[in-house]
């Protein structure tokens, strides 16, 4: 990213009400492998890409608003069925297992273009379209599988769960519990709490980092996602070490070793043994300059 776009990402991440859609678009826009949207000229500007994606979301929201006007859903279940009919049915937003192997499945402009993606990205589309259509759609960050909670037209506490990855299939609490158990964790009602915007973005970037970590030839992609995660006001401290190691892997031996030494100083206070190991890695990185 340019310094200007990174500054914009940092500013949006620290806004009173950060927009996860804008943050994911800003994150994806600079990736060198991102194909151009069909309706843009070659090498679109950031503003053109943002405008095209916003227009796509608004088109889907307009279709939902028309369906709401025609059907007048009376409660959460009818609202969820309407969203599934429009987004999962007519617009064909869904996911497949093969999408887990594609970086495009975590890049929002590509998800909007292909109408395919990971559960969290398809849920983000549902959340964005729902908000633009005046509906209540929250993200639910279940371990291993992101879903949405949909309220009724008038708000209130009633909601139903839906799985955008499977076209909007309705889920009951037992279905949600099975998803959690399949990820190797215990289910608790607190897991159905709406996800916070920055937690959504951190998870998206984590998916990109995990994809790249399994493919050593994509170390620069992992570095890019790690550096963006570090711009968020809340992030795991371990990301600093990850960035340092990636700098070394991509050839910046001095920069990476300096970051390792700085991280070791933090570790000194509570894990001197780990700090000593990090310093050894930093020294090894500097020796690679010889």
């Amino acid at each position: 990213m340019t310094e200007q776009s990174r500054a914009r990402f940092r500013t949006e991440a620290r806004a009173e009400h950060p927009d996860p859609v804008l943050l994911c678009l800003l994150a994806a826009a600079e990736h060198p492998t991102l194909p151009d949207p069909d309706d843009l000229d070659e090498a679109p500007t950031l503003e053109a890409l943002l405008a095209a994606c916003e227009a796509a979301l608004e088109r889907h929201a307009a279709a939902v608003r028309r369906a709401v006007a025609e059907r007048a859903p009376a409660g959460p279940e009818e609202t969820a069925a309407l969203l599934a009919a429009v987004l999962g049915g007519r617009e064909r937003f869904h996911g497949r297992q093969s999408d887990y192997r594609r970086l495009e499945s975590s890049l929002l402009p590509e998800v909007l273009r292909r109408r395919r993606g990971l559960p969290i990205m398809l849920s983000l589309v549902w959340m964005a379209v729902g908000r633009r259509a005046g509906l209540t759609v929250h993200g639910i960050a279940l371990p291993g599988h992101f879903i949405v909670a949909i309220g009724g037209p008038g708000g209130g506490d009633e909601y139903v769960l839906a799985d955008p990855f499977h076209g909007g299939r309705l889920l009951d609490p037992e279905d949600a519990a099975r998803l959690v158990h399949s990820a190797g964790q215990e289910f608790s009602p607190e897991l159905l709490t709406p996800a916070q915007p920055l937690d959504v973005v951190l998870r998206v970037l984590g998916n990109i980092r995990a994809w790249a970590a399994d493919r050593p030839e994509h170390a620069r992609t992992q570095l890019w996602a790690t550096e963006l995660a570090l711009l968020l006001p809340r992030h795991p401290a371990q990301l600093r070490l990850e960035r340092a190691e990636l700098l070394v892997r991509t050839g910046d031996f001095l920069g990476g070793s300096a970051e390792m030494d700085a991280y070791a100083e933090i570790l000194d206070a509570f894990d001197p043994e780990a700090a000593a190991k990090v310093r050894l890695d930093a020294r090894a990185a500097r020796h690679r300059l010889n």
Side-chain angles (χ1 to χ4, degrees), residues 3-276:
E3 283 304 314
Q4 182 181 11
S5 58
R6 287 210 173 194
R8 185 170 178 180
F9 183 94
R10 186 187 298 108
T11 298
E12 178 60 31
R14 285 161 174 72
E16 184 177 358
H17 301 291
D19 181 357
V21 169
L22 177 56
L23 285 166
C24 286
L25 290 175
L26 288 170
E30 63 89 23
H31 195 273
T33 64
L34 182 66
D36 299 339
D38 294 338
D39 55 345
L40 291 179
D41 295 330
E42 288 294 317
T45 65
L46 173 61
E47 293 305 324
L49 184 61
L50 294 179
C53 293
E54 177 59 37
L57 290 169
E58 180 52 36
R59 284 196 300 272
H60 298 313
V64 171
R65 286 194 295 269
R66 287 194 296 272
V68 169
E70 292 170 2
R71 305 182 196 179
E77 192 164 334
E78 291 181 16
T79 303
L82 182 151
L83 281 167
V86 175
L87 294 178
R90 196 182 79 185
E91 302 299 335
R92 292 187 289 184
F93 279 98
H94 69 286
R96 297 176 183 164
Q97 283 303 118
S98 60
D99 292 318
Y100 284 90
R101 299 192 293 272
R102 301 184 62 138
L103 175 61
E104 298 95 319
S105 300
S106 291
L107 302 176
L108 186 53
E110 274 297 279
V111 173
L112 289 170
R113 186 180 72 86
R114 297 174 61 242
R115 305 186 186 198
R116 298 267 298 278
L118 297 188
I120 190 170
M121 303 309 298
L122 295 169
S123 296
L124 189 60
V125 171
W126 275 54
M127 293 156 60
V129 170
R131 177 165 60 85
R132 286 162 175 76
L135 302 177
T136 302
V137 184
H138 294 296
I140 303 296
L142 295 183
H145 198 92
F146 208 97
I147 61 173
V148 295
I150 301 160
D157 296 331
E158 292 187 13
Y159 66 89
V160 295
L161 302 174
D163 182 2
F165 188 77
H166 291 101
R169 177 172 61 94
L170 290 182
L171 305 172
D172 58 30
E174 289 73 23
D175 294 323
R178 280 192 287 273
L179 286 172
V180 174
H181 292 150
S182 68
Q185 298 196 32
E186 289 298 316
F187 177 79
S188 66
E190 290 75 22
L191 290 174
L192 299 180
T193 302
Q196 295 301 306
L198 294 182
D199 292 335
V200 173
V201 178
L202 186 62
R203 183 157 166 171
V204 170
L205 293 172
N207 288 337
I208 295 172
R209 288 167 41 234
W211 178 89
D214 289 337
R215 297 162 176 83
E217 69 276 16
H218 290 284
R220 292 194 179 278
T221 294
Q222 186 180 353
L223 175 60
W224 153 73
T226 301
E227 290 183 337
L228 288 182
L230 285 166
L231 293 178
L232 299 175
R234 299 187 309 276
H235 54 260
Q238 180 73 13
L239 287 179
R240 291 189 58 181
L241 179 58
E242 181 176 323
R243 178 177 183 271
E245 293 170 341
L246 288 165
L247 286 173
V248 171
R249 197 184 308 168
T250 54
D252 186 356
F253 304 124
L254 283 179
S257 62
E259 290 285 336
M260 288 179 183
D261 284 334
Y263 187 71
E265 290 183 11
I266 297 174
L267 287 177
D268 279 333
F270 54 92
D271 195 344
E273 185 176 339

